Amino acid sequence: LAKTTQPISMDSYEGQEVNITCSHNNIATNDYITWYQQFPSQGPRFIIQGYKTKVTNEVASLFIPADRKSSTLSLPRVSLSDTAVYYCLVGARDDKIIFGKGTRLHILP
Amino acid sequence: GAVVSQHPSRVICKSGTSVKIECRSLDFQATTMFWYRQFPKQSLMLMATSNEGSKATYEQGVEKDKFLINHASLTLSTLTVTSAHPEDSSFYICSARDSTASTDTQYFGPGTRLTVL
């Protein structure tokens, strides 16, 4: 299981674009990159998953460079309700998920 | 996206009693489910992997006789905390793997808050 490193916390303002970068230098060939969001006293919520290049859905974009040693979650035009902990996870299909500390994102008015 | 439910959402029990938590995948079949525990301000800690039709696999340091896991069907896994003590008070979260999805994604339940008095 590739270890991930992401900032402990980030602050941003409403309406801004927020980019959270995750480092995973030891990512394996068959590993996917998945991001989850967690609010207090709730289970994590799947945001986006990718393998390479760029993936976009209705809530976020995921940018993965060619060497796949890092990835960036991009949240467009954040609101106060985006204040949460964001987890970057790397693993293959049959791997169990081991959570790191995540990034505490705090959106300010 | 896929939905995973947990029941109950909150439970308070006396020390020494047992508590059962259910995890259900509502719109997909899950041969594999996972159980996590989360303490305040901390990340999720994997407790065990639950496989339908076979014994659960426990992480190091998790007592299998205390945390009984049963994966009775492709949509239901249960976690029973036996002889609960105050230190077992925590937020318990399950997840289910949707193996039919192209990306083999895990979906999480809403969690169960256990308080042992």
Side-chain angles (χ1 to χ4, degrees), chain B residues 18-108:
Chain B
S18 294
V19 175
K20 179 185 284 189
I21 302 170
E22 292 186 348
C23 176
R24 294 181 185 272
S25 57
L26 298 184
D27 50 3
F28 65 98
Q29 293 184 330
T31 55
T32 304
M33 292 184 174
F34 302 87
W35 287 95
Y36 297 81
R37 182 166 54 180
Q38 186 174 35
F39 293 106
K41 301 292 186 181
Q42 295 186 22
S43 184
L44 286 78
M45 184 188 77
L46 179 65
M47 299 176 67
T49 302
S50 170
N51 298 297
E52 190 268 337
S54 63
K55 291 183 178 181
T57 304
Y58 290 81
E59 295 299 303
Q60 189 174 9
V62 178
E63 300 176 57
K64 61 180 174 63
D65 294 329
K66 181 171 183 61
F67 298 100
L68 301 179
I69 292 172
N70 183 275
H71 198 143
S73 73
L74 288 173
T75 59
L76 173 65
S77 176
T78 60
L79 168 68
T80 300
V81 183
T82 62
S83 187
H85 291 284
E87 57 266 28
D88 298 323
S89 297
S90 188
F91 191 53
Y92 292 86
I93 306 170
C94 73
S95 71
R97 170 179 284 148
D98 183 356
S99 55
T100 62
S102 60
T103 52
D104 193 33
T105 303
Q106 278 194 39
Y107 296 96
F108 288 80

Side-chain angles (χ1 to χ4, degrees), chain A residues 21-74:
Chain A
T21 297
C22 178
S23 297
H24 27 82
N25 292 315
N26 297 321
I27 190 169
T29 303
N30 54 351
D31 284 346
Y32 285 82
I33 301 156
T34 311
W35 286 81
Y36 288 88
Q37 173 194 57
Q38 187 183 28
F39 298 112
S41 296
Q42 294 186 27
R45 183 176 76 102
F46 172 85
I47 301 175
I48 198 165
Q49 184 180 73
Y51 183 80
K52 62 180 180 180
T53 63
K54 176 184 175 182
V55 179
T56 298
N57 61 21
E58 61 276 9
V59 298
S61 293
L62 178 59
F63 298 93
I64 306 168
D67 66 4
R68 303 202 325 124
K69 293 183 183 297
S70 67
S71 59
T72 299
L73 174 71
S74 181

Side-chain angles (χ1 to χ4, degrees), chain A residues 72-104:
Chain A
T72 299
L73 174 71
S74 181
L75 304 172
R77 299 180 61 80
V78 293
S79 64
L80 295 176
S81 62
D82 292 316
T83 293
V85 179
Y86 292 81
Y87 294 98
C88 164
L89 300 155
V90 173
R93 284 177 174 246
D94 295 330
D95 285 348
K96 53 190 177 184
I97 291 181
I98 304 297
F99 280 79
K101 298 184 185 302
T103 297
R104 291 186 175 276

